[in-house]
Amino acid sequence: MRTRVDGQNQQLRERLQTGFLGIIAFAILLFLLVQARFMLICLAIAIIIFSLTSDAISAIARQHVPNWLATTLALLLIGIGLLWASATVVSQVNEVVTTAISYAEQMQAALPALLEWLGPNAQETVDTAIRNFNLTGWMRSAAGGASDVLSAAVLIFLFVGFMFAERVWFPRKLESLVEDPASAARMRQIISSIMHRVNRYLVVKTLVSAATSLCVWGIFTAAGLPLAGAIALLTFALNFIPSVGSIIATLIATALTYVLTADVTTTLIVGAACTAVQFAIGNVLDPMLLGQTLRLSSFGIILSLAFWGAVWGLPGMFLAVPIMVAVMIVCAHIQWLRPIAIMLSREGHPDDGLADF
């Protein structure tokens, strides 16, 4: 009897020890994720770009084009694309800063008037917040963020270049790592399925976000409002954040319209038009193109957005869904992690990705 009790106590101690070690490991991992956030975000984006372009390079190579030539062309296009994206972001930030200086006094008068129906206390609070707003500090932060975009573009390009250099040797490294051709083939299938699902999601989201941002740009241009390009770029980026991104983009567009015009009628028209565009594209076009590609839990997506948003900020919210797809597929193949995959799936039947093959 005593031996049985001692065995149970030993088992309990081992479980507690394992739990404490797990908590310590998670804390260390979280610390590293926060401290190395810039490099890790650039690495994650580089992996996504590499995944998106690998299939294109393979398709070009099948047309009897040398692999080195296809890789060189892909790297050249990636470099041009990153430079163009960085230049676009920097120019739009400069335009926003210039417009903010021009409309600073109008904003101080417009926002308290907008909240007049909330009572004098709310107006006083907003007025105090506006007076305490450090425009110079905000401009410096915006300029610093723009320089970070250029640094990130260079780092992403370097990461992608080295990934392409290692691309040929990856299957051999995988076989040497697991020392079993069947397991290596299965791991390659898992990686390919993750790349396939993430690629499809990103391509569809890019098309949907581009269509939405183009419509918002047309609405702002038709209304004769400045910052049409900046609000379109912001809408394009925020639409990659599921559930809440389109709501935030619409609220920002509506509030910006009132600040720029101080006219309630114009604000309501622009806000209604942006809402209609977001609703039509988000509830008709997006589900039609995306279909059942992800099969993720809506609550799990919100939790993923909250976690990665807290760890990596806004870029983490953009990467939350691709990371969640990868985690679900990997956990579906590991027996003791399968409960996590079940919780992340929509219907409780986690997709292991092998159906793609």
Side-chain angles (χ1 to χ4, degrees):
M1 183 69 179
R2 183 175 181 180
T3 304
R4 182 179 179 182
V5 173
D6 291 339
Q8 291 178 347
N9 291 335
Q10 179 66 24
Q11 187 178 13
L12 180 61
R13 283 195 297 269
E14 290 178 355
R15 289 181 177 179
L16 290 175
Q17 184 179 9
T18 302
F20 283 128
L21 289 176
I23 294 173
I24 293 172
F26 178 75
I28 294 174
L29 178 62
L30 190 61
F31 175 79
L32 293 176
L33 287 174
V34 174
Q35 293 301 314
R37 56 184 296 176
F38 182 76
M39 185 189 69
L40 292 176
I41 290 171
C42 293
L43 179 60
I45 295 174
I47 292 173
I48 289 174
I49 293 175
F50 172 77
S51 173
L52 288 169
T53 53
S54 292
D55 292 340
I57 291 176
S58 300
I60 294 173
R62 285 194 292 268
Q63 304 299 323
H64 305 291
V65 176
N67 187 69
W68 66 268
L69 179 59
T71 302
T72 303
L73 291 175
L75 284 176
L76 182 62
L77 292 176
I78 289 171
I80 294 173
L82 288 173
L83 288 176
W84 174 81
S86 302
T88 302
V89 171
V90 171
S91 65
Q92 294 302 323
V93 168
N94 290 334
E95 183 181 353
V96 170
V97 170
T98 304
T99 306
I101 296 174
S102 303
Y103 284 85
E105 294 183 0
Q106 185 171 330
M107 180 184 68
Q108 291 180 354
L111 287 182
L114 180 64
L115 299 177
E116 184 177 359
W117 58 278
L118 290 177
N121 292 332
Q123 283 185 286
E124 184 179 354
T125 302
V126 173
D127 189 51
T128 303
I130 292 175
R131 284 199 302 267
N132 294 333
F133 179 71
N134 187 359
L135 182 61
T136 304
W138 178 80
M139 291 170 58
R140 290 177 181 174
S141 300
S147 63
D148 288 341
V149 170
L150 295 174
S151 302
V154 173
L155 189 58
I156 291 170
F157 180 77
L158 292 175
F159 278 145
V160 174
F162 283 108
M163 287 179 190
F164 277 122
E166 295 288 328
R167 179 170 173 261
V168 179
W169 309 108
F170 180 74
R172 295 184 183 180
K173 289 183 178 181
L174 195 59
E175 290 181 1
S176 300
L177 182 66
V178 299
E179 298 180 351
D180 181 13
S183 298
R186 184 178 179 85
M187 290 182 66
R188 285 199 299 271
Q189 286 184 341
I190 294 173
I191 294 172
S192 297
S193 65
I194 293 173
M195 293 172 62
H196 173 73
R197 298 297 173 88
V198 173
N199 289 353
R200 177 174 173 79
Y201 168 76
L202 291 175
V203 169
V204 170
K205 272 296 181 183
T206 300
L207 294 175
V208 171
S209 299
T212 306
S213 61
L214 184 62
C215 292
V216 171
W217 177 85
I219 292 170
F220 266 64
T221 303
L225 298 173
L227 298 178
I231 200 67
L233 181 63
L234 183 65
T235 301
F236 176 81
L238 289 176
N239 268 34
F240 280 87
I241 302 177
S243 304
V244 298
S246 59
I247 299 175
I248 296 174
T250 303
L251 291 176
I252 292 175
T254 305
L256 183 62
T257 302
Y258 185 78
V259 170
L260 294 175
T261 62
D263 181 47
V264 177
T265 303
T266 304
T267 302
L268 291 176
I269 293 173
V270 172
C274 292
T275 302
V277 167
Q278 292 281 7
F279 181 82
I281 295 180
N283 291 277
V284 178
L285 185 60
D286 195 355
M288 182 178 65
L289 294 176
L290 201 56
Q292 297 294 320
T293 300
L294 299 182
R295 299 173 185 167
L296 297 176
S297 165
S298 300
F299 182 67
I301 291 176
I302 296 298
L303 287 180
S304 181
L305 288 174
F307 175 79
W308 290 109
V311 174
W312 284 351
L314 197 58
M317 299 180 76
F318 297 148
L319 299 170
V321 172
I323 293 174
M324 188 176 172
V325 172
V327 169
M328 186 185 71
I329 293 178
V330 170
C331 291
H333 289 272
I334 302 175
Q335 188 60 35
W336 61 281
L337 291 177
R338 189 170 175 81
I340 297 178
I342 293 174
M343 295 303 296
L344 293 179
S345 63
R346 179 182 298 172
E347 303 94 354
H349 302 287
D351 189 358
D352 57 10
L354 295 183
D356 298 339
F357 304 93

